[in-house]
Amino acid sequence: MSARFAVIGGTGTGVNTQGELVDEQVVDTPFGAPSAPLRQFLIDGRPVWFLPRHGDGHQIAPHLVNYAANLTALHDVGVTHVIALNAVGIIGRRAPVGGLLIPNQIIDYTWGRRHTVRDGDVAVLDHIDFTEPYSEELRGQLLAAAQAVGLEVADGGVYGATQGPRLETAAEVARLARDGVEVIGMTGMPEASIARELDLSYACIALIVNEAAGQGEGDIHAQLHAAMDQARSAANLLLASFFETIFESKG
Ligand code: HPA
């Protein structure tokens, strides 16, 4: 079966849906409703599904997103590959604010979220292998797509998923740094692990919108608002290149 793609948009990262809207489905799942109707756009003449993680009006907080419903809904319409856009704060100077990073590892600090669809309730119990939380193939394709358009994207890094909705304290960020975390966001988990439970290939484009708490000088929110447009433009450029190369290579 050929790959069928979805993009899950995050904070401020409403995808540039220049394509033609060809389908919209209000889906229900055993876990409840997804964040919004699933919308399918034609990108380079091929269908791609889009789902805004925080809802159409950006009203759903990170810890209240129904990750199980979102991934199940995408799975049920036939999606096989998911690209997640996640805003993050960066620890250290590996990549610039306003830039992108494609993480290759995760540490999950979230709690109290429905974090599995394979607990023996709706689907049989499974202990998925999560050694490599992201699809290496999809990560490689994203990095190649970035290179094709001369976009600098940091390859790999540990994504620390925090509970939110508040930002971290400086001491918490210092601890995360000691753990090896390089970018911090609130929505990377349990999205990635539920995607794996549903056998979806999954990769994350992390949009670096601020220096993590205690790492920079200025006001975090001011930095975040200033950097969002730049990071979003970079993500849209990357996605456009990705779909162009993927769809071309499939003829
Ligand atoms: N911490 C957690 N989540 C975030 C941040 C941050 O600094 N920036 C954007 N999302």
Side-chain angles (χ1 to χ4, degrees), residues 66-159:
N66 191 338
Y67 299 93
N70 286 353
L71 275 305
T72 300
L74 292 171
H75 172 268
D76 289 355
V77 296
V79 165
T80 57
H81 290 63
V82 175
I83 297 170
L85 304 179
N86 303 79
V88 296
I90 189 150
I91 299 177
R93 300 255 178 279
R94 234 192 95 203
V97 171
L100 305 177
L101 180 145
I102 314 266
N104 67 336
Q105 275 297 332
I106 296 175
I107 301 180
D108 186 9
Y109 301 92
T110 67
W111 48 271
R113 305 179 179 194
R114 182 179 186 116
H115 65 283
T116 177
V117 297
R118 296 300 303 271
D119 57 359
D121 181 9
V122 173
V124 292
L125 175 64
D126 191 13
H127 305 280
I128 51 154
D129 183 338
F130 205 46
T131 312
E132 301 299 334
Y134 298 108
S135 159
E136 265 311 304
E137 186 185 18
L138 202 46
R139 274 190 1 91
Q141 288 166 336
L142 286 168
L143 290 163
Q147 204 170 29
V149 287
L151 189 66
E152 282 246 7
V153 171
D155 174 7
V158 180
Y159 178 108

Side-chain angles (χ1 to χ4, degrees), residues 22-38:
V22 287
D23 195 4
E24 175 167 308
Q25 292 198 21
V26 178
V27 184
D28 200 14
T29 80
F31 308 101
S35 299
L38 307 186

